Amino acid sequence: NSPLRRKIKVLYLANEDGAVVEKTFSTYQEISDHLKVESTPASTRRPRKVSVVFEDKEGELLFKQICGSKLRNYTSVGNTISFGAGDLKNLGVLSTKLPVLMDVILVPDGDMAKAWSNPPRNLLALPGGKRPETLVYQHLVAMNDSDPFWKSINTTYTRQVAIVSRGGSSLEQGDDKNWVKQWYKEQSQYWGRGNQKVFKAWVQANKPDCLKFCRKFVKLLRGRYKDEIPKTVIDAILNQFKENH
């Protein structure tokens, strides 16, 4: 751990077919093996992934479009659909008393963040301030008829198809939980695998909020992952939300 370590260059000279050559190694273990005339088998150990728990599948899908797909080698995702969003809050309360649960990252929908007066340190709400279905509905309502999004689905998918008459055209309609969840279910057939097209459109339109979320999530993840997460991975996540991208 010496501060001089990065300034040191190790030269390993070897006799190869009667000529002195410089050998290149990427780790000190490789140098040690050559000096001992040994060979260490490649490690098969994989670091334990960090568990990330969501309220439901919709939250998980939104997370994947924000940064989850780029962190799949370091996280293991799941949702609590089998026992409800309230249990996610209970799990958060338990994590303040059971240290082992602090290694789990809890990610509720944006609307649930308001339910926490003193949230545990391992909880981070999704951006947007509302449930994912509402975010999607309100995003499509506010979208222009000429937006390229519609044609990216198919030539006949229009704003009129998405914003059905019984749903109205006001942004407030998306706040009706039962209605918006049914609307979301019906529209999902158009949005591709994992509803990635519509979630990606929302993410691209809300880069500042997504960047703020990613910075906080990366900090939580680094505190729980047992090995270093490559800087290139973190940069790829953060750079996609910066103004020049």
Side-chain angles (χ1 to χ4, degrees):
N1 296 325
S2 169
L4 298 176
R5 182 172 180 176
R6 294 184 178 181
K7 298 181 180 180
I8 297 175
K9 181 177 181 180
V10 178
L11 296 178
Y12 185 94
L13 303 179
N15 185 327
E16 191 172 278
D17 297 328
V20 177
V21 296
E22 179 183 347
K23 303 287 286 186
T24 301
F25 302 106
S26 58
T27 68
Y28 287 99
Q29 182 63 53
E30 292 178 358
I31 296 175
S32 176
D33 283 353
H34 277 269
L35 290 173
K36 296 177 182 178
V37 194
E38 295 177 352
S39 181
T40 300
S43 175
T44 58
R45 181 186 67 85
R46 293 185 178 181
R48 180 181 62 82
K49 293 183 178 182
V50 175
S51 296
V52 184
V53 183
F54 303 86
E55 282 189 46
D56 50 33
K57 190 66 175 179
E58 286 65 47
E60 181 181 329
L61 294 177
L62 175 56
F63 171 76
K64 286 182 178 179
Q65 290 305 311
I66 297 173
C67 63
S69 61
K70 291 182 173 63
L71 291 171
R72 58 182 176 274
N73 291 333
Y74 314 98
T75 60
S76 176
V77 300
N79 58 72
T80 62
I81 191 170
S82 61
F83 51 89
D87 292 277
L88 185 65
K89 183 174 181 178
N90 294 336
L91 188 60
V93 173
L94 282 175
S95 69
T96 64
K97 301 177 180 180
L98 297 174
V100 68
L101 290 179
M102 286 301 294
D103 284 341
V104 177
I105 300 177
L106 308 174
V107 185
D109 294 349
D111 64 320
M112 191 179 173
K114 302 174 184 177
W116 298 81
S117 57
N118 186 27
R121 296 190 304 274
N122 61 335
L123 182 139
L124 176 62
L126 287 166
K130 296 181 175 66
R131 64 181 63 88
E133 298 93 334
T134 300
L135 294 178
V136 166
Y137 180 84
Q138 294 185 349
H139 180 61
L140 296 189
V141 166
M143 190 178 287
N144 292 330
D145 292 334
S146 59
D147 194 285
F149 168 79
W150 305 113
K151 288 186 178 180
S152 73
I153 304 297
N154 63 53
T155 56
T156 59
Y157 189 71
T158 63
R159 188 175 181 279
Q160 288 69 36
V161 173
I163 310 304
V164 292
S165 58
R166 62 186 175 83
S169 58
S170 68
L171 297 181
E172 288 73 20
Q173 177 64 57
D175 288 330
D176 184 295
K177 180 179 179 180
N178 293 331
W179 183 89
V180 79
K181 283 185 172 292
Q182 183 59 34
W183 169 85
Y184 174 92
K185 182 178 180 181
E186 294 170 355
Q187 291 289 317
S188 290
Q189 61 181 310
Y190 301 110
W191 296 334
R193 184 178 181 182
N195 297 335
Q196 58 180 323
K197 291 183 178 180
V198 76
F199 280 129
K200 184 176 182 179
W202 184 89
V203 168
Q204 290 301 307
N206 293 272
K207 287 186 176 183
D209 286 344
C210 290
L211 177 59
K212 187 183 299 184
F213 171 85
C214 287
R215 283 173 172 161
K216 292 179 179 179
F217 184 83
V218 166
K219 184 177 180 180
L220 285 177
L221 183 59
R222 278 177 161 164
R224 288 154 179 78
Y225 195 70
K226 304 308 179 186
D227 289 278
E228 183 64 25
I229 301 173
K231 183 177 182 297
T232 53
V233 173
I234 304 303
D235 288 345
I237 291 171
L238 301 181
N239 287 341
Q240 66 181 326
F241 299 119
K242 293 182 178 178
E243 291 184 0
N244 58 337
H245 284 257

